[in-house]
Amino acid sequence: MSNETHNVTMVEAINLALMSEMQKDESVIILGEDVGTNGGVFRATVDLRETFGIKRVLDTPLAENMIAGLSIGMATQGLRPVAEIQFMGFIFPTMEQLICHAARIRNRTRGRLSCPLVIRAPFGGGIHAPEHHSESTEALLSHIPGIRVVIPSSPARAYGLLLAAIRNPDPVVFLEPKRIYRLSAQPVEDNGQALPLDTCFTLREGKDITLVSWGAMIKETLEAADALKQQNIECEVIDVACMNPLDHDTILSSVAKTGRCIVIHEAPKSCAVGAEISATIAERALLSLKAPVQRVTGYDTVMPYYKLEQQYMPNTADILAAVQTTLEFS
Amino acid sequence: MTQVYQGEINFRRFLDEQGTPVAELPIWASQPEILQSYYRNMVLARQLDTKIIALQRTGQMGTYPSMLGAEAIDAVSGGLMLPEDVLVPYYRNHLLQIIRGAEILDVLNYWGGDERGNASSGYGEDFPNAVPIATQSLHATGVATAFKIRGEKRVAVSFCGDGATSKGDFLEALNVAGAWQLPVVFFVNNNQWAISVPRSIQCGAETLAQKGLAAGIRSEQVDGNDVIAIHEAMADALKHARDGKGATMIEAISYRLSDHTTADDATRYRHNDELKAAWQKEPVKRLQNYLAANGWWDEIQEQAWLNEVQQIIQAQVDTYLAMDTQPVESMFDYLYAEVPKALQEQRASASIKAMTGGSHHE
């Protein structure tokens, strides 16, 4: 931790957070495939091995399930493993370990053992990656009691939320929207300050409609809010940031103010986090609503290969169209 | 063509099926104390097993996996592991957990459906039971990695059955343990049956221990009904790990004398002749014969120990049966280090529902 301000992209902010926390806490251990000499396939762990040595930055054999199970064993011993799964499509082999053990060890032992691990994985579409590299399966993980699912939407958010994830005494899956890994740089002060988990961030206040999103789709959501501002429509923009446990209060109080809500995400529509948010609004804020909650999402299909991925993913025009429908509802 | 690899698996046995020495015994086996201690624990296990099954049959216990036939493995391992080592058990290591510090009450609570059975400080840093097969093998590698990173001379000891060796988790654990020379022992209780699937169709390899060779770790077979053989194999494996030389896989040839669990009926798939033959090799009688032949155990000692064990067990059973159920809020209170705000409302709702006349929707 240097307290210097760095103009960094999201992936550089992740590296900055790892570097900062490893200096502060020697129990933090990085592990995964290619994280050492290669610095990670996206370079999120670059220079860490040179700085902290081979006992703290471990290149593992190629087995994602093993990485998860190994991390659990390490975590119960008081280490804070931060494991990289190269792409979210490869996180599926880890699910048994995450569901059956990481999520349950504290509960199973009534607090005798705990499991403070972080699994980092790039996720989402938009970078012309091969099959199994572009899915947004945050809802699968969010459904598991005991697992936190955290998704940053900017370099500063990535820095602060990753520090919080590493310091958290329970397992956190930290999903990194790779489409915006290098989209833009932002000044981030390396001050070691974590952001709160389990809370949404209100990025923009407005009285006419609430736009709820997270990760890379925040980019299109803010673009839509900018465009609507030109039409004197003021959007409240909420970055969910933590999918589970979900901060209902921020969303519900915003909907109480605006009476209109659109949830925007890349993931398929059905049984997704957006469905959970919509259902909660229906349960708890129905009488505040002036229009039905709309969802702007990916299709309930397999994520297509890259030549069709832009067709799959929601865009700014889709959000504007949904806003129009919502505002015109009567 | 040149041969680039040739491996071998050795099999250790010191006592035959009647408890007669068939090889030169190690020096420690010429003294009665260690063997008597093993024997007492094995008798405890057998009595406890019988009691728990009786509790299950009378509706006072959940589904339970018997340890019948595995007593020698737990007794020896419990005798040799040091307190600072970490046990990563599978769901049949009840005796081993007790020897390492858990109360009989903890075992009763766990199989009786109460999470407090895993909570006792008597477990130290040991892992709770793992129900999904072989997943715990990987936890042991993580524990061993922590030991290695910190330079501690401790050993993680992981148990599983023969069926578990077919799973990726087990093979992945062997693989990383070999690649990183981790201080871990993988102990396979090859009791010949994975529920109804016999060893013969579990795996095409001649021994399960060969799987360790593929991972580059020392591997051997032992007679899992012979406490002296198990002692020698386990002591060597622990020393090997503690000396920084890496992992060992031990395949113990035993036999599951019980059903898989109390929910299983092994007569559906297993011939009685095979079971009868297995009883001729079982570990408790074998050790009793050896002790008696040396004048180290007699019928008076046997009866005195049986009486003592039964009193110990009954006292714990009485406590178990008198325990209050955990408060319903405990479902929420240990899920995370702190109850998240998003769960507080459900927690309150559960409290109301648990009250007399309460409703989920109040």
Side-chain angles (χ1 to χ4, degrees):
Chain A
M1 192 175 81
S2 60
N3 283 317
E4 286 177 32
T5 297
H6 303 258
N7 197 46
V8 285
T9 61
M10 176 184 281
V11 73
E12 290 166 341
I14 287 163
N15 182 260
L16 194 63
L18 293 171
M19 191 73 83
S20 176
E21 197 62 6
M22 290 184 79
Q23 270 160 0
K24 183 169 168 287
D25 181 354
E26 66 176 18
S27 67
V28 178
I29 307 288
I30 305 296
L31 69 155
E33 296 157 16
D34 303 307
V35 296
T37 307
N38 197 32
V41 287
F42 287 99
R43 307 289 176 264
T45 57
V46 77
D47 294 337
L48 296 179
R49 173 170 271 186
E50 288 77 0
T51 308
F52 299 104
I54 58 170
K55 281 192 170 180
R56 294 189 62 196
V57 183
L58 312 176
D59 271 330
T60 65
L62 196 162
E64 287 81 8
N65 177 59
M66 182 277 294
I67 292 169
L70 184 90
S71 298
I72 290 167
M74 293 166 77
T76 60
Q77 275 294 311
L79 297 180
R80 291 187 177 269
V82 181
E84 178 174 297
I85 301 296
Q86 289 189 338
F87 289 93
M88 186 153 177
F90 307 149
I91 215 168
F92 302 121
T94 73
M95 293 291 267
E96 183 179 16
Q97 287 288 346
L98 290 178
I99 295 170
C100 296
H101 296 295
R104 295 178 181 223
I105 280 178
R106 177 183 296 284
N107 186 66
R108 183 181 284 148
T109 62
R110 307 281 90 169
R112 182 173 62 83
L113 298 178
S114 63
C115 193
L117 64 79
V118 176
I119 302 269
R120 295 180 37 247
F123 88 116
I127 66 157
H128 292 196
E131 191 182 13
H132 298 301
H133 286 61
S134 301
E135 289 80 0
S136 299
T137 38
E138 62 268 30
L140 283 177
L141 295 151
S142 303
H143 191 65
I144 306 165
I147 294 272
R148 276 189 171 76
V149 180
V150 176
I151 299 178
S153 62
S154 68
R157 204 77 73 203
Y159 176 86
L161 289 174
L162 184 53
L163 290 183
I166 298 171
R167 293 172 192 171
N168 192 276
D170 296 312
V172 178
V173 178
F174 192 82
L175 298 176
E176 299 165 3
K178 60 183 179 290
R179 179 160 65 92
I180 58 170
Y181 257 158
R182 294 188 168 82
L183 182 72
S184 60
Q186 172 183 34
V188 174
E189 188 185 353
D190 184 18
N191 56 12
Q193 286 186 7
L195 288 168
L197 299 178
D198 306 353
T199 188
C200 298
F201 296 93
T202 302
L203 302 184
R204 182 172 178 142
E205 297 199 0
K207 61 178 173 47
D208 296 320
I209 190 163
T210 302
L211 305 182
V212 178
S213 190
W214 52 87
M217 286 309 300
I218 289 288
K219 171 181 174 288
E220 284 76 13
T221 303
L222 288 172
E223 282 173 5
D226 281 341
L228 290 161
K229 176 78 175 167
Q230 306 302 315
Q231 303 169 38
N232 291 323
I233 298 166
E234 294 181 11
C235 300
E236 186 133 305
V237 176
I238 294 176
D239 175 2
V240 175
C242 189
M243 308 295 113
N244 183 43
L246 191 60
D247 168 16
H248 295 118
D249 295 350
T250 300
I251 297 167
L252 289 170
S253 58
S254 176
V255 171
K257 179 169 72 175
T258 63
R260 294 180 171 87
C261 182
I262 295 172
V263 189
I264 301 129
H265 59 67
E266 265 182 52
K269 190 170 197 171
S270 299
C271 303
V273 176
E276 173 61 30
I277 292 169
S278 304
T280 302
I281 293 169
E283 262 182 3
R284 310 278 290 275
L286 183 64
L287 298 181
S288 302
L289 288 178
K290 299 170 190 161
V293 177
Q294 296 271 317
R295 286 178 281 165
V296 177
T297 71
Y299 299 117
D300 290 345
T301 64
V302 170
M303 181 73 180
Y305 298 174
Y306 73 81
K307 286 192 175 170
L308 276 180
E309 71 179 348
Q310 293 305 325
Q311 293 297 317
Y312 170 91
M313 288 164 57
N315 57 35
T316 308
D318 297 330
I319 301 169
L320 290 171
V323 169
Q324 196 69 25
T325 303
T326 304
L327 290 173
E328 288 172 0
F329 182 85
S330 60
Chain B
M1 196 158 62
T2 53
Q3 185 175 45
V4 294
Y5 177 78
Q6 183 177 21
E8 61 182 37
I9 297 294
N10 294 315
F11 175 76
R12 290 202 219 209
R13 174 189 282 159
F14 290 91
L15 300 178
D16 71 9
E17 294 171 13
Q18 284 71 48
T20 307
V22 291
E24 187 180 346
L25 299 184
I27 291 168
W28 66 267
S30 63
Q31 301 292 323
E33 291 78 14
I34 294 173
L35 290 168
Q36 285 171 332
S37 164
Y38 290 160
Y39 182 73
R40 277 192 287 269
N41 280 328
M42 289 162 70
V43 171
L44 167 71
R46 195 154 285 190
Q47 294 298 312
L48 178 60
D49 208 63
T50 304
K51 185 68 182 180
I52 294 178
I53 290 168
L55 288 167
Q56 193 279 333
R57 298 294 187 227
T58 52
Q60 298 170 97
M61 176 63 60
T63 301
Y64 167 74
S66 165
M67 53 184 152
L68 200 63
E71 296 89 347
I73 291 166
D74 278 25
V76 174
S77 303
L80 290 174
M81 286 177 67
L82 297 178
E84 62 266 31
D85 296 335
V86 167
L87 167 65
V88 187
Y90 81 141
Y91 50 77
R92 237 182 264 283
N93 288 127
H94 325 310
L95 174 62
L96 181 45
Q97 291 174 318
I98 291 165
I99 296 170
R100 284 186 57 74
E103 300 286 340
I104 290 172
L105 177 64
D106 297 322
V107 174
L108 296 170
N109 270 330
Y110 178 80
W111 294 105
D114 186 327
E115 284 88 349
R116 287 175 295 186
N118 286 330
S120 157
S121 60
Y123 286 107
E125 296 175 20
D126 287 357
F127 268 63
N129 295 324
V131 172
I133 304 301
T135 50
Q136 76 279 10
S137 308
L138 286 169
H139 305 159
T141 62
V143 171
T145 302
F147 294 160
K148 184 154 185 162
I149 288 171
R150 296 193 296 235
E152 297 170 343
K153 288 191 174 301
R154 303 165 69 188
V155 185
V157 185
S158 168
F159 288 79
C160 65
D162 40 302
T165 65
S166 301
K167 273 200 63 177
D169 294 63
F170 179 76
L171 298 164
E172 290 172 8
L174 289 180
N175 188 59
V176 70
W180 289 357
Q181 294 290 289
L182 296 175
V184 57
V185 178
F186 299 102
F187 196 109
V188 177
N189 176 11
N190 177 0
N191 67 16
Q192 313 303 321
W193 292 93
I195 307 188
S196 66
V197 177
R199 160 66 183 88
S200 58
I201 58 172
Q202 190 65 240
C203 165
E206 194 167 343
T207 74
L208 299 178
Q210 290 161 239
K211 299 188 182 195
L213 294 186
I217 65 179
R218 67 188 290 274
S219 304
E220 66 170 295
Q221 267 190 347
V222 297
D223 185 328
N225 295 323
D226 174 357
V227 290
I228 299 175
I230 299 169
H231 180 112
E232 289 294 287
M234 182 58 100
D236 285 353
L238 289 168
K239 183 174 189 308
H240 189 75
R242 232 180 286 285
D243 288 348
K245 294 178 180 170
T248 298
M249 175 181 170
I250 299 170
E251 177 192 2
I253 308 298
S254 74
Y255 195 86
R256 194 192 77 205
L257 295 168
S258 62
D259 297 332
H260 167 66
T261 66
T262 50
D264 176 42
D265 174 11
T267 62
R268 288 170 52 83
Y269 52 80
R270 189 166 71 177
H271 290 296
N272 202 37
D273 290 349
E274 182 183 309
L275 181 61
K276 276 165 64 179
W279 271 104
Q280 301 306 309
K281 304 176 183 177
E282 65 99 0
V284 178
K285 185 67 180 168
R286 187 183 302 199
L287 179 54
Q288 188 192 50
N289 286 346
Y290 178 72
L291 291 171
N294 285 281
W296 296 337
W297 195 257
D298 59 27
E299 188 55 30
I300 295 170
Q301 287 169 291
E302 179 79 6
Q303 280 308 316
W305 180 240
L306 276 175
N307 289 339
E308 190 175 339
V309 159
Q310 282 163 4
Q311 285 177 28
I312 292 168
I313 292 171
Q314 190 57 50
Q316 297 278 293
V317 169
D318 291 344
T319 307
Y320 161 71
L321 293 175
M323 295 264 297
D324 288 334
T325 307
Q326 297 175 86
V328 69
E329 293 83 358
S330 69
M331 286 196 289
F332 299 88
D333 291 345
Y334 300 97
L335 187 59
Y336 299 90
E338 290 179 24
V339 182
K341 194 155 182 270
L343 275 177
Q344 287 170 3
E345 194 173 316
Q346 290 184 16
R347 184 181 184 279
S349 172
S351 292
I352 293 167
K353 187 185 171 192
M355 292 173 187
T356 307
S359 161
H360 194 57
H361 293 287
E362 280 185 57

